[in-house]
Amino acid sequence: MTLEERTREAVRTELQRLLDRYGEVEVDRQTVTNDPDLFEAGRDLAQEGWLGDAGTWVTDDAGRVLLIRHEGAPDTWGTPGGGHEPATDDGLDGTALRTLTEQTGVEADLGSLYYVRWQTVVNEADADDRLHMLSVVFEGTAVSTDIVEGEADHGVLAATWFQNLPERLHEIPQRKSEEAE
């Protein structure tokens, strides 16, 4: 079985598991092209069992939303989340919970899936060379609300509870903001 076939099957299996556990959600399908170096980095991760990334849209009992600023996009606020670690994460829901706690110190219960993107990643140097990955965002309810800034290696510049969303939002919080209007 090729790596493309393995990643397609792993993504299909994980997606079905998530849909069965957290309920149905529309799946956004995208094809992206990566330069050869980036594609090779993705290939190395995929060979280790990497599935993609996951985050959580966390709210508390007061209706506040937990957002972070990350060094990769310091001018925008986004959901806590990060990459799947196959050696330690039990699926992408495990990734969402782990990264939430690592980045903010907050713990949450996951409710439903809010957003799912299935990406087919194509090597720019060879269009027949492909991988598959998932990006998922869960709805979550905070179990604890005390923010404990994560370690520097997680790249989080700030974590804050918002009653009113800030203006500069990353893709997923922007989508949620527009739905609320």
Side-chain angles (χ1 to χ4, degrees):
M1 184 179 287
T2 67
L3 188 58
E4 178 186 5
E5 292 166 335
R6 283 196 347 245
T7 58
R8 183 186 312 113
E9 181 59 22
V11 163
R12 188 199 62 71
T13 300
E14 177 67 358
L15 177 58
Q16 190 59 56
R17 184 187 73 79
L18 293 172
L19 294 174
D20 289 346
R21 182 165 185 186
Y22 296 99
E24 293 295 318
V25 66
E26 183 177 331
V27 177
D28 181 18
R29 298 285 304 242
Q30 291 184 349
T31 300
V32 297
T33 302
N34 281 359
D35 70 72
D37 291 337
L38 186 57
F39 188 87
E40 284 304 315
R43 179 194 312 277
D44 291 345
L45 290 169
Q47 287 173 336
E48 296 170 8
W50 177 77
L51 295 168
D53 54 67
T56 311
W57 175 269
V58 181
T59 57
D60 68 5
D61 290 340
R64 299 179 303 169
V65 176
L66 179 63
L67 298 174
I68 64 169
R69 280 189 313 114
H70 196 273
E71 64 187 13
D75 296 331
T76 60
W77 291 91
T79 53
H84 177 245
E85 293 181 2
T88 59
D89 295 346
D90 185 21
L92 290 173
D93 40 357
T95 301
L97 293 171
R98 174 185 53 79
T99 57
L100 172 64
T101 302
E102 285 177 353
Q103 293 173 346
T104 68
V106 171
E107 294 182 4
D109 289 328
L110 299 180
S112 60
L113 284 165
Y114 167 67
Y115 179 78
V116 175
R117 177 187 305 144
W118 179 327
Q119 283 189 326
T120 302
V121 184
V122 180
N123 185 344
E124 186 178 69
D126 179 0
D128 293 329
D129 199 7
R130 297 167 178 249
L131 301 172
H132 298 268
M133 64 170 281
L134 282 175
S135 292
V136 300
V137 177
F138 295 88
E139 304 253 7
T141 303
V143 174
S144 66
T145 58
D146 291 336
I147 294 173
V148 178
E149 296 293 331
E151 299 173 17
D153 66 347
H154 295 293
V156 174
L157 301 175
T160 304
W161 287 102
F162 287 93
Q163 189 68 52
N164 299 305
L165 294 177
E167 287 187 23
R168 298 186 58 107
L169 296 169
H170 194 262
E171 174 188 5
I172 297 302
Q174 182 64 43
R175 188 181 295 237
K176 285 290 274 185
S177 174
E178 291 167 0
E179 286 177 5
E181 292 176 352

